[in-house]
Amino acid sequence: MSRIKDLFKSFGRTISFFDKLLLRIEEFILSASVIIIFLMVIGNVLSRELFGPSIIFAYEVNRFAVIIATFMGISYAARKGRHISMSAFYDMAPFKVRKMLSIIIPAVTAIILLGLAYYSTLYVHSVYETGKVTPSMEVPAYLMSIFIPIGFLLGAIQYIRNMWINIVVRDKVYLGVDQLDYNDEPKKKVENETFV
């Protein structure tokens, strides 16, 4: 029995290690994408104003970085509970309803994202088969869209994790694995605050 417990603990530590590694990779990719977008936009404007012509490859690099930031950001937003939500009814609902919704909504979202991952994989494969390259950098066009199914798949995994944590932890509601529902967070006590 103790060997089984040790095996599960070891498995849990391994999963936790890969989860933290994936988080760091996501943060690096998102940060790098935003910095690249900034540099390309500013660089292109400066190039036009100071030297006349635009940077030839700026549009393609921007497009590539925006695709990466958008689709890789799905997973990060789901993990942190920062995805867009329409929460008017959710906020007014009692705990049991919010708990039920915190299980159903991520489950449905994960199913939709898995479907989108499948269809976007078919799309990437069709682009790959055409052999197209981008006009200025001559990079294979499928490389620009390969992050779409990856982002959908990682997002689906995060929503499954969000659903699972809400099933396992019965007394709290989580918006994301790393984010407790703001309705359940302890209220901060404000003392001696003056308003001007």
Side-chain angles (χ1 to χ4, degrees):
M1 189 68 167
S2 126
R3 294 176 93 189
I4 293 173
K5 285 183 182 178
D6 291 340
L7 182 66
F8 276 116
K9 283 182 184 178
S10 175
F11 181 70
R13 283 192 296 269
T14 303
I15 294 293
S16 178
F17 169 78
F18 282 113
D19 181 49
K20 288 176 184 172
L21 179 65
L22 179 62
L23 174 63
R24 297 294 174 240
I25 291 170
E26 286 174 346
E27 288 173 339
F28 174 77
I29 289 172
L30 292 172
S31 300
S33 296
V34 170
I35 290 169
I36 288 169
I37 293 166
F38 169 77
L39 291 175
M40 284 292 108
V41 169
I42 297 300
N44 201 22
V45 168
L46 290 175
S47 174
R48 257 194 325 252
E49 293 299 319
L50 298 176
F51 306 111
S54 295
I55 300 171
I56 297 170
F57 56 86
Y59 172 74
E60 287 178 13
V61 172
N62 270 340
R63 187 172 167 204
F64 192 61
V66 166
I67 289 171
I68 291 173
T70 301
F71 291 97
M72 293 301 287
I74 295 170
S75 173
Y76 187 79
R79 174 193 297 268
K80 298 293 183 182
R82 296 194 178 160
H83 40 78
I84 296 172
S85 61
M86 304 290 243
S87 61
F89 295 114
Y90 177 85
D91 289 343
M92 294 186 302
F95 175 80
K96 288 184 180 180
V97 173
R98 286 188 295 116
K99 188 65 171 175
M100 181 181 66
L101 289 173
S102 71
I103 294 169
I104 293 170
I105 292 171
V108 171
T109 305
I111 291 167
I112 291 169
L113 287 176
L114 287 172
L116 290 171
Y118 172 74
Y119 286 111
S120 61
T121 302
L122 295 178
Y123 170 73
V124 171
H125 183 54
S126 70
V127 172
Y128 172 77
E129 286 183 336
T130 64
K132 283 184 180 179
V133 293
T134 60
S136 62
M137 294 191 313
E138 296 186 3
V139 174
Y142 77 91
L143 290 178
M144 197 168 282
S145 55
I146 201 164
F147 285 94
I148 298 172
I150 293 170
F152 283 141
L153 179 63
L154 291 175
I157 291 168
Q158 289 302 332
Y159 277 106
I160 290 168
R161 291 180 69 212
N162 293 352
M163 177 192 69
W164 182 250
I165 195 167
N166 281 302
I167 291 171
V168 172
V169 179
R170 296 190 182 276
D171 60 336
K172 293 181 179 152
V173 176
Y174 284 85
L175 297 175
V177 174
D178 297 343
Q179 179 63 43
L180 190 62
D181 183 5
Y182 44 84
N183 292 310
D184 294 339
E185 288 179 343
K187 303 294 182 211
K188 294 179 182 174
K189 191 175 180 182
V190 179
E191 294 180 19
N192 299 328
E193 188 172 311
T194 59
F195 297 98
V196 178

PDB file of all heavy atoms in Angstrom, residues 44-78:
ATOM      1  N   ASN A  44       8.752  50.102 -37.296  1.00  0.00           N
ATOM      2  CA  ASN A  44       8.194  50.392 -38.613  1.00  0.00           C
ATOM      3  C   ASN A  44       7.842  51.880 -38.739  1.00  0.00           C
ATOM      4  O   ASN A  44       8.098  52.502 -39.768  1.00  0.00           O
ATOM      5  CB  ASN A  44       6.975  49.513 -38.877  1.00  0.00           C
ATOM      6  CG  ASN A  44       6.664  49.378 -40.342  1.00  0.00           C
ATOM      7  OD1 ASN A  44       7.537  49.570 -41.191  1.00  0.00           O
ATOM      8  ND2 ASN A  44       5.432  49.059 -40.651  1.00  0.00           N
ATOM      9  N   VAL A  45       7.262  52.445 -37.690  1.00  0.00           N
ATOM     10  CA  VAL A  45       6.917  53.872 -37.707  1.00  0.00           C
ATOM     11  C   VAL A  45       8.185  54.711 -37.814  1.00  0.00           C
ATOM     12  O   VAL A  45       8.269  55.638 -38.632  1.00  0.00           O
ATOM     13  CB  VAL A  45       6.110  54.271 -36.445  1.00  0.00           C
ATOM     14  CG1 VAL A  45       5.998  55.780 -36.315  1.00  0.00           C
ATOM     15  CG2 VAL A  45       4.735  53.630 -36.476  1.00  0.00           C
ATOM     16  N   LEU A  46       9.198  54.397 -37.014  1.00  0.00           N
ATOM     17  CA  LEU A  46      10.452  55.146 -37.064  1.00  0.00           C
ATOM     18  C   LEU A  46      11.131  55.018 -38.432  1.00  0.00           C
ATOM     19  O   LEU A  46      11.665  55.989 -38.969  1.00  0.00           O
ATOM     20  CB  LEU A  46      11.400  54.681 -35.960  1.00  0.00           C
ATOM     21  CG  LEU A  46      10.983  55.047 -34.533  1.00  0.00           C
ATOM     22  CD1 LEU A  46      11.940  54.429 -33.521  1.00  0.00           C
ATOM     23  CD2 LEU A  46      10.917  56.554 -34.358  1.00  0.00           C
ATOM     24  N   SER A  47      11.090  53.815 -38.984  1.00  0.00           N
ATOM     25  CA  SER A  47      11.691  53.595 -40.296  1.00  0.00           C
ATOM     26  C   SER A  47      11.016  54.443 -41.363  1.00  0.00           C
ATOM     27  O   SER A  47      11.687  55.048 -42.210  1.00  0.00           O
ATOM     28  CB  SER A  47      11.596  52.110 -40.661  1.00  0.00           C
ATOM     29  OG  SER A  47      12.037  51.886 -41.979  1.00  0.00           O
ATOM     30  N   ARG A  48       9.690  54.487 -41.322  1.00  0.00           N
ATOM     31  CA  ARG A  48       8.938  55.289 -42.303  1.00  0.00           C
ATOM     32  C   ARG A  48       9.221  56.782 -42.141  1.00  0.00           C
ATOM     33  O   ARG A  48       9.395  57.493 -43.113  1.00  0.00           O
ATOM     34  CB  ARG A  48       7.440  55.036 -42.143  1.00  0.00           C
ATOM     35  CG  ARG A  48       6.866  54.134 -43.190  1.00  0.00           C
ATOM     36  CD  ARG A  48       5.353  54.179 -43.191  1.00  0.00           C
ATOM     37  NE  ARG A  48       4.757  54.333 -41.886  1.00  0.00           N
ATOM     38  CZ  ARG A  48       4.098  53.366 -41.240  1.00  0.00           C
ATOM     39  NH1 ARG A  48       3.936  52.195 -41.790  1.00  0.00           N
ATOM     40  NH2 ARG A  48       3.585  53.582 -40.058  1.00  0.00           N
ATOM     41  N   GLU A  49       9.240  57.235 -40.903  1.00  0.00           N
ATOM     42  CA  GLU A  49       9.404  58.667 -40.656  1.00  0.00           C
ATOM     43  C   GLU A  49      10.840  59.145 -40.877  1.00  0.00           C
ATOM     44  O   GLU A  49      11.058  60.248 -41.350  1.00  0.00           O
ATOM     45  CB  GLU A  49       8.962  59.021 -39.228  1.00  0.00           C
ATOM     46  CG  GLU A  49       7.480  58.852 -38.982  1.00  0.00           C
ATOM     47  CD  GLU A  49       6.628  59.730 -39.874  1.00  0.00           C
ATOM     48  OE1 GLU A  49       6.989  60.906 -40.099  1.00  0.00           O
ATOM     49  OE2 GLU A  49       5.593  59.230 -40.368  1.00  0.00           O
ATOM     50  N   LEU A  50      11.815  58.313 -40.531  1.00  0.00           N
ATOM     51  CA  LEU A  50      13.210  58.750 -40.614  1.00  0.00           C
ATOM     52  C   LEU A  50      13.873  58.416 -41.953  1.00  0.00           C
ATOM     53  O   LEU A  50      14.693  59.181 -42.448  1.00  0.00           O
ATOM     54  CB  LEU A  50      14.030  58.138 -39.472  1.00  0.00           C
ATOM     55  CG  LEU A  50      13.601  58.519 -38.056  1.00  0.00           C
ATOM     56  CD1 LEU A  50      14.424  57.768 -37.026  1.00  0.00           C
ATOM     57  CD2 LEU A  50      13.721  60.025 -37.842  1.00  0.00           C
ATOM     58  N   PHE A  51      13.529  57.244 -42.499  1.00  0.00           N
ATOM     59  CA  PHE A  51      14.248  56.790 -43.688  1.00  0.00           C
ATOM     60  C   PHE A  51      13.379  56.677 -44.936  1.00  0.00           C
ATOM     61  O   PHE A  51      13.888  56.458 -46.019  1.00  0.00           O
ATOM     62  CB  PHE A  51      14.921  55.440 -43.415  1.00  0.00           C
ATOM     63  CG  PHE A  51      15.792  55.460 -42.196  1.00  0.00           C
ATOM     64  CD1 PHE A  51      15.438  54.751 -41.063  1.00  0.00           C
ATOM     65  CD2 PHE A  51      16.965  56.206 -42.157  1.00  0.00           C
ATOM     66  CE1 PHE A  51      16.241  54.760 -39.933  1.00  0.00           C
ATOM     67  CE2 PHE A  51      17.762  56.233 -41.040  1.00  0.00           C
ATOM     68  CZ  PHE A  51      17.403  55.508 -39.924  1.00  0.00           C
ATOM     69  N   GLY A  52      12.075  56.758 -44.787  1.00  0.00           N
ATOM     70  CA  GLY A  52      11.185  56.665 -45.947  1.00  0.00           C
ATOM     71  C   GLY A  52      10.473  55.333 -46.082  1.00  0.00           C
ATOM     72  O   GLY A  52       9.270  55.262 -45.879  1.00  0.00           O
ATOM     73  N   PRO A  53      11.176  54.253 -46.399  1.00  0.00           N
ATOM     74  CA  PRO A  53      10.461  52.983 -46.604  1.00  0.00           C
ATOM     75  C   PRO A  53      10.145  52.272 -45.282  1.00  0.00           C
ATOM     76  O   PRO A  53      10.823  52.455 -44.272  1.00  0.00           O
ATOM     77  CB  PRO A  53      11.440  52.151 -47.428  1.00  0.00           C
ATOM     78  CG  PRO A  53      12.781  52.670 -47.061  1.00  0.00           C
ATOM     79  CD  PRO A  53      12.581  54.148 -46.765  1.00  0.00           C
ATOM     80  N   SER A  54       9.110  51.457 -45.321  1.00  0.00           N
ATOM     81  CA  SER A  54       8.754  50.630 -44.164  1.00  0.00           C
ATOM     82  C   SER A  54       9.683  49.426 -44.088  1.00  0.00           C
ATOM     83  O   SER A  54      10.340  49.070 -45.062  1.00  0.00           O
ATOM     84  CB  SER A  54       7.319  50.122 -44.294  1.00  0.00           C
ATOM     85  OG  SER A  54       6.412  51.177 -44.254  1.00  0.00           O
ATOM     86  N   ILE A  55       9.705  48.797 -42.934  1.00  0.00           N
ATOM     87  CA  ILE A  55      10.437  47.532 -42.793  1.00  0.00           C
ATOM     88  C   ILE A  55       9.640  46.483 -43.559  1.00  0.00           C
ATOM     89  O   ILE A  55       8.448  46.286 -43.302  1.00  0.00           O
ATOM     90  CB  ILE A  55      10.587  47.141 -41.313  1.00  0.00           C
ATOM     91  CG1 ILE A  55      11.356  48.228 -40.554  1.00  0.00           C
ATOM     92  CG2 ILE A  55      11.287  45.801 -41.182  1.00  0.00           C
ATOM     93  CD1 ILE A  55      11.382  48.040 -39.048  1.00  0.00           C
ATOM     94  N   ILE A  56      10.279  45.809 -44.469  1.00  0.00           N
ATOM     95  CA  ILE A  56       9.587  44.900 -45.390  1.00  0.00           C
ATOM     96  C   ILE A  56       8.857  43.781 -44.661  1.00  0.00           C
ATOM     97  O   ILE A  56       7.716  43.452 -44.968  1.00  0.00           O
ATOM     98  CB  ILE A  56      10.589  44.305 -46.405  1.00  0.00           C
ATOM     99  CG1 ILE A  56      11.173  45.418 -47.258  1.00  0.00           C
ATOM    100  CG2 ILE A  56       9.935  43.246 -47.269  1.00  0.00           C
ATOM    101  CD1 ILE A  56      12.331  44.988 -48.127  1.00  0.00           C
ATOM    102  N   PHE A  57       9.493  43.202 -43.671  1.00  0.00           N
ATOM    103  CA  PHE A  57       8.936  42.024 -43.008  1.00  0.00           C
ATOM    104  C   PHE A  57       8.118  42.346 -41.759  1.00  0.00           C
ATOM    105  O   PHE A  57       7.645  41.446 -41.070  1.00  0.00           O
ATOM    106  CB  PHE A  57      10.056  41.042 -42.639  1.00  0.00           C
ATOM    107  CG  PHE A  57      11.119  41.652 -41.779  1.00  0.00           C
ATOM    108  CD1 PHE A  57      10.990  41.695 -40.401  1.00  0.00           C
ATOM    109  CD2 PHE A  57      12.257  42.201 -42.359  1.00  0.00           C
ATOM    110  CE1 PHE A  57      11.966  42.256 -39.610  1.00  0.00           C
ATOM    111  CE2 PHE A  57      13.243  42.772 -41.568  1.00  0.00           C
ATOM    112  CZ  PHE A  57      13.099  42.799 -40.192  1.00  0.00           C
ATOM    113  N   ALA A  58       7.901  43.621 -41.430  1.00  0.00           N
ATOM    114  CA  ALA A  58       7.221  44.010 -40.189  1.00  0.00           C
ATOM    115  C   ALA A  58       5.804  43.451 -40.111  1.00  0.00           C
ATOM    116  O   ALA A  58       5.387  42.957 -39.054  1.00  0.00           O
ATOM    117  CB  ALA A  58       7.200  45.520 -40.050  1.00  0.00           C
ATOM    118  N   TYR A  59       5.054  43.518 -41.210  1.00  0.00           N
ATOM    119  CA  TYR A  59       3.673  43.027 -41.190  1.00  0.00           C
ATOM    120  C   TYR A  59       3.622  41.538 -40.866  1.00  0.00           C
ATOM    121  O   TYR A  59       2.808  41.105 -40.049  1.00  0.00           O
ATOM    122  CB  TYR A  59       2.998  43.298 -42.541  1.00  0.00           C
ATOM    123  CG  TYR A  59       1.637  42.661 -42.661  1.00  0.00           C
ATOM    124  CD1 TYR A  59       0.550  43.186 -41.984  1.00  0.00           C
ATOM    125  CD2 TYR A  59       1.451  41.513 -43.415  1.00  0.00           C
ATOM    126  CE1 TYR A  59      -0.692  42.596 -42.055  1.00  0.00           C
ATOM    127  CE2 TYR A  59       0.210  40.906 -43.498  1.00  0.00           C
ATOM    128  CZ  TYR A  59      -0.856  41.451 -42.827  1.00  0.00           C
ATOM    129  OH  TYR A  59      -2.082  40.862 -42.892  1.00  0.00           O
ATOM    130  N   GLU A  60       4.493  40.759 -41.484  1.00  0.00           N
ATOM    131  CA  GLU A  60       4.479  39.310 -41.253  1.00  0.00           C
ATOM    132  C   GLU A  60       4.895  38.960 -39.828  1.00  0.00           C
ATOM    133  O   GLU A  60       4.298  38.083 -39.207  1.00  0.00           O
ATOM    134  CB  GLU A  60       5.388  38.608 -42.260  1.00  0.00           C
ATOM    135  CG  GLU A  60       4.807  38.577 -43.641  1.00  0.00           C
ATOM    136  CD  GLU A  60       5.732  37.927 -44.650  1.00  0.00           C
ATOM    137  OE1 GLU A  60       6.713  37.277 -44.254  1.00  0.00           O
ATOM    138  OE2 GLU A  60       5.466  38.080 -45.849  1.00  0.00           O
ATOM    139  N   VAL A  61       5.914  39.630 -39.329  1.00  0.00           N
ATOM    140  CA  VAL A  61       6.359  39.374 -37.954  1.00  0.00           C
ATOM    141  C   VAL A  61       5.256  39.748 -36.972  1.00  0.00           C
ATOM    142  O   VAL A  61       4.971  39.002 -36.022  1.00  0.00           O
ATOM    143  CB  VAL A  61       7.673  40.131 -37.648  1.00  0.00           C
ATOM    144  CG1 VAL A  61       8.032  40.020 -36.169  1.00  0.00           C
ATOM    145  CG2 VAL A  61       8.807  39.601 -38.501  1.00  0.00           C
ATOM    146  N   ASN A  62       4.598  40.900 -37.196  1.00  0.00           N
ATOM    147  CA  ASN A  62       3.483  41.306 -36.329  1.00  0.00           C
ATOM    148  C   ASN A  62       2.357  40.286 -36.366  1.00  0.00           C
ATOM    149  O   ASN A  62       1.793  39.936 -35.327  1.00  0.00           O
ATOM    150  CB  ASN A  62       2.943  42.669 -36.762  1.00  0.00           C
ATOM    151  CG  ASN A  62       3.635  43.798 -36.067  1.00  0.00           C
ATOM    152  OD1 ASN A  62       4.242  43.614 -35.024  1.00  0.00           O
ATOM    153  ND2 ASN A  62       3.561  44.964 -36.646  1.00  0.00           N
ATOM    154  N   ARG A  63       2.005  39.866 -37.562  1.00  0.00           N
ATOM    155  CA  ARG A  63       0.917  38.893 -37.701  1.00  0.00           C
ATOM    156  C   ARG A  63       1.252  37.602 -36.969  1.00  0.00           C
ATOM    157  O   ARG A  63       0.413  37.045 -36.253  1.00  0.00           O
ATOM    158  CB  ARG A  63       0.677  38.628 -39.186  1.00  0.00           C
ATOM    159  CG  ARG A  63      -0.513  37.780 -39.455  1.00  0.00           C
ATOM    160  CD  ARG A  63      -0.793  37.725 -40.938  1.00  0.00           C
ATOM    161  NE  ARG A  63      -1.748  36.686 -41.214  1.00  0.00           N
ATOM    162  CZ  ARG A  63      -1.880  36.080 -42.360  1.00  0.00           C
ATOM    163  NH1 ARG A  63      -1.121  36.430 -43.372  1.00  0.00           N
ATOM    164  NH2 ARG A  63      -2.765  35.147 -42.533  1.00  0.00           N
ATOM    165  N   PHE A  64       2.467  37.135 -37.128  1.00  0.00           N
ATOM    166  CA  PHE A  64       2.927  35.916 -36.457  1.00  0.00           C
ATOM    167  C   PHE A  64       2.848  36.079 -34.940  1.00  0.00           C
ATOM    168  O   PHE A  64       2.322  35.219 -34.232  1.00  0.00           O
ATOM    169  CB  PHE A  64       4.362  35.634 -36.909  1.00  0.00           C
ATOM    170  CG  PHE A  64       4.881  34.280 -36.552  1.00  0.00           C
ATOM    171  CD1 PHE A  64       4.275  33.130 -37.029  1.00  0.00           C
ATOM    172  CD2 PHE A  64       5.998  34.142 -35.743  1.00  0.00           C
ATOM    173  CE1 PHE A  64       4.759  31.876 -36.704  1.00  0.00           C
ATOM    174  CE2 PHE A  64       6.481  32.897 -35.410  1.00  0.00           C
ATOM    175  CZ  PHE A  64       5.863  31.752 -35.891  1.00  0.00           C
ATOM    176  N   ALA A  65       3.335  37.220 -34.431  1.00  0.00           N
ATOM    177  CA  ALA A  65       3.337  37.462 -32.983  1.00  0.00           C
ATOM    178  C   ALA A  65       1.919  37.606 -32.432  1.00  0.00           C
ATOM    179  O   ALA A  65       1.626  37.131 -31.331  1.00  0.00           O
ATOM    180  CB  ALA A  65       4.164  38.703 -32.660  1.00  0.00           C
ATOM    181  N   VAL A  66       1.021  38.241 -33.187  1.00  0.00           N
ATOM    182  CA  VAL A  66      -0.363  38.397 -32.730  1.00  0.00           C
ATOM    183  C   VAL A  66      -1.054  37.030 -32.666  1.00  0.00           C
ATOM    184  O   VAL A  66      -1.789  36.738 -31.711  1.00  0.00           O
ATOM    185  CB  VAL A  66      -1.141  39.371 -33.646  1.00  0.00           C
ATOM    186  CG1 VAL A  66      -2.635  39.282 -33.411  1.00  0.00           C
ATOM    187  CG2 VAL A  66      -0.661  40.789 -33.430  1.00  0.00           C
ATOM    188  N   ILE A  67      -0.827  36.181 -33.654  1.00  0.00           N
ATOM    189  CA  ILE A  67      -1.414  34.836 -33.639  1.00  0.00           C
ATOM    190  C   ILE A  67      -0.914  34.054 -32.430  1.00  0.00           C
ATOM    191  O   ILE A  67      -1.687  33.426 -31.712  1.00  0.00           O
ATOM    192  CB  ILE A  67      -1.116  34.094 -34.961  1.00  0.00           C
ATOM    193  CG1 ILE A  67      -1.927  34.700 -36.101  1.00  0.00           C
ATOM    194  CG2 ILE A  67      -1.418  32.601 -34.831  1.00  0.00           C
ATOM    195  CD1 ILE A  67      -1.550  34.198 -37.479  1.00  0.00           C
ATOM    196  N   ILE A  68       0.385  34.115 -32.201  1.00  0.00           N
ATOM    197  CA  ILE A  68       0.953  33.388 -31.055  1.00  0.00           C
ATOM    198  C   ILE A  68       0.388  33.922 -29.744  1.00  0.00           C
ATOM    199  O   ILE A  68      -0.052  33.151 -28.878  1.00  0.00           O
ATOM    200  CB  ILE A  68       2.493  33.480 -31.061  1.00  0.00           C
ATOM    201  CG1 ILE A  68       3.061  32.674 -32.226  1.00  0.00           C
ATOM    202  CG2 ILE A  68       3.075  32.971 -29.748  1.00  0.00           C
ATOM    203  CD1 ILE A  68       4.548  32.844 -32.423  1.00  0.00           C
ATOM    204  N   ALA A  69       0.388  35.240 -29.568  1.00  0.00           N
ATOM    205  CA  ALA A  69      -0.107  35.831 -28.316  1.00  0.00           C
ATOM    206  C   ALA A  69      -1.582  35.513 -28.097  1.00  0.00           C
ATOM    207  O   ALA A  69      -2.000  35.207 -26.978  1.00  0.00           O
ATOM    208  CB  ALA A  69       0.120  37.341 -28.323  1.00  0.00           C
ATOM    209  N   THR A  70      -2.372  35.564 -29.162  1.00  0.00           N
ATOM    210  CA  THR A  70      -3.808  35.323 -29.034  1.00  0.00           C
ATOM    211  C   THR A  70      -4.109  33.886 -28.639  1.00  0.00           C
ATOM    212  O   THR A  70      -4.828  33.629 -27.672  1.00  0.00           O
ATOM    213  CB  THR A  70      -4.523  35.642 -30.364  1.00  0.00           C
ATOM    214  OG1 THR A  70      -4.283  37.005 -30.687  1.00  0.00           O
ATOM    215  CG2 THR A  70      -6.009  35.390 -30.267  1.00  0.00           C
ATOM    216  N   PHE A  71      -3.557  32.945 -29.369  1.00  0.00           N
ATOM    217  CA  PHE A  71      -3.949  31.553 -29.151  1.00  0.00           C
ATOM    218  C   PHE A  71      -3.201  30.886 -28.005  1.00  0.00           C
ATOM    219  O   PHE A  71      -3.758  30.031 -27.317  1.00  0.00           O
ATOM    220  CB  PHE A  71      -3.839  30.771 -30.458  1.00  0.00           C
ATOM    221  CG  PHE A  71      -4.879  31.197 -31.444  1.00  0.00           C
ATOM    222  CD1 PHE A  71      -4.586  32.115 -32.429  1.00  0.00           C
ATOM    223  CD2 PHE A  71      -6.177  30.728 -31.347  1.00  0.00           C
ATOM    224  CE1 PHE A  71      -5.552  32.549 -33.327  1.00  0.00           C
ATOM    225  CE2 PHE A  71      -7.153  31.153 -32.225  1.00  0.00           C
ATOM    226  CZ  PHE A  71      -6.840  32.059 -33.215  1.00  0.00           C
ATOM    227  N   MET A  72      -1.965  31.281 -27.751  1.00  0.00           N
ATOM    228  CA  MET A  72      -1.273  30.751 -26.584  1.00  0.00           C
ATOM    229  C   MET A  72      -1.805  31.408 -25.311  1.00  0.00           C
ATOM    230  O   MET A  72      -1.675  30.871 -24.227  1.00  0.00           O
ATOM    231  CB  MET A  72       0.242  30.968 -26.708  1.00  0.00           C
ATOM    232  CG  MET A  72       0.880  30.163 -27.826  1.00  0.00           C
ATOM    233  SD  MET A  72       0.661  28.382 -27.667  1.00  0.00           S
ATOM    234  CE  MET A  72       1.786  28.025 -26.330  1.00  0.00           C
ATOM    235  N   GLY A  73      -2.408  32.583 -25.456  1.00  0.00           N
ATOM    236  CA  GLY A  73      -2.988  33.272 -24.310  1.00  0.00           C
ATOM    237  C   GLY A  73      -4.258  32.624 -23.781  1.00  0.00           C
ATOM    238  O   GLY A  73      -4.656  32.873 -22.647  1.00  0.00           O
ATOM    239  N   ILE A  74      -4.903  31.786 -24.596  1.00  0.00           N
ATOM    240  CA  ILE A  74      -6.121  31.095 -24.144  1.00  0.00           C
ATOM    241  C   ILE A  74      -5.821  30.268 -22.899  1.00  0.00           C
ATOM    242  O   ILE A  74      -6.532  30.347 -21.894  1.00  0.00           O
ATOM    243  CB  ILE A  74      -6.695  30.190 -25.256  1.00  0.00           C
ATOM    244  CG1 ILE A  74      -7.173  31.018 -26.438  1.00  0.00           C
ATOM    245  CG2 ILE A  74      -7.827  29.318 -24.716  1.00  0.00           C
ATOM    246  CD1 ILE A  74      -7.537  30.180 -27.659  1.00  0.00           C
ATOM    247  N   SER A  75      -4.762  29.493 -22.963  1.00  0.00           N
ATOM    248  CA  SER A  75      -4.395  28.624 -21.850  1.00  0.00           C
ATOM    249  C   SER A  75      -4.025  29.435 -20.613  1.00  0.00           C
ATOM    250  O   SER A  75      -4.448  29.126 -19.498  1.00  0.00           O
ATOM    251  CB  SER A  75      -3.226  27.735 -22.268  1.00  0.00           C
ATOM    252  OG  SER A  75      -2.739  26.994 -21.187  1.00  0.00           O
ATOM    253  N   TYR A  76      -3.239  30.483 -20.809  1.00  0.00           N
ATOM    254  CA  TYR A  76      -2.797  31.303 -19.685  1.00  0.00           C
ATOM    255  C   TYR A  76      -3.985  31.988 -19.010  1.00  0.00           C
ATOM    256  O   TYR A  76      -4.086  32.023 -17.784  1.00  0.00           O
ATOM    257  CB  TYR A  76      -1.768  32.330 -20.162  1.00  0.00           C
ATOM    258  CG  TYR A  76      -1.142  33.109 -19.044  1.00  0.00           C
ATOM    259  CD1 TYR A  76      -0.125  32.553 -18.284  1.00  0.00           C
ATOM    260  CD2 TYR A  76      -1.565  34.396 -18.743  1.00  0.00           C
ATOM    261  CE1 TYR A  76       0.456  33.262 -17.247  1.00  0.00           C
ATOM    262  CE2 TYR A  76      -0.989  35.114 -17.714  1.00  0.00           C
ATOM    263  CZ  TYR A  76       0.024  34.543 -16.972  1.00  0.00           C
ATOM    264  OH  TYR A  76       0.597  35.239 -15.935  1.00  0.00           O
ATOM    265  N   ALA A  77      -4.893  32.523 -19.813  1.00  0.00           N
ATOM    266  CA  ALA A  77      -6.078  33.193 -19.260  1.00  0.00           C
ATOM    267  C   ALA A  77      -6.962  32.204 -18.510  1.00  0.00           C
ATOM    268  O   ALA A  77      -7.511  32.531 -17.450  1.00  0.00           O
ATOM    269  CB  ALA A  77      -6.871  33.873 -20.366  1.00  0.00           C
ATOM    270  N   ALA A  78      -7.102  30.995 -19.032  1.00  0.00           N
ATOM    271  CA  ALA A  78      -7.913  29.978 -18.350  1.00  0.00           C
ATOM    272  C   ALA A  78      -7.272  29.567 -17.030  1.00  0.00           C
ATOM    273  O   ALA A  78      -7.961  29.391 -16.022  1.00  0.00           O
ATOM    274  CB  ALA A  78      -8.095  28.758 -19.250  1.00  0.00           C
TER     275      ALA A  78
END
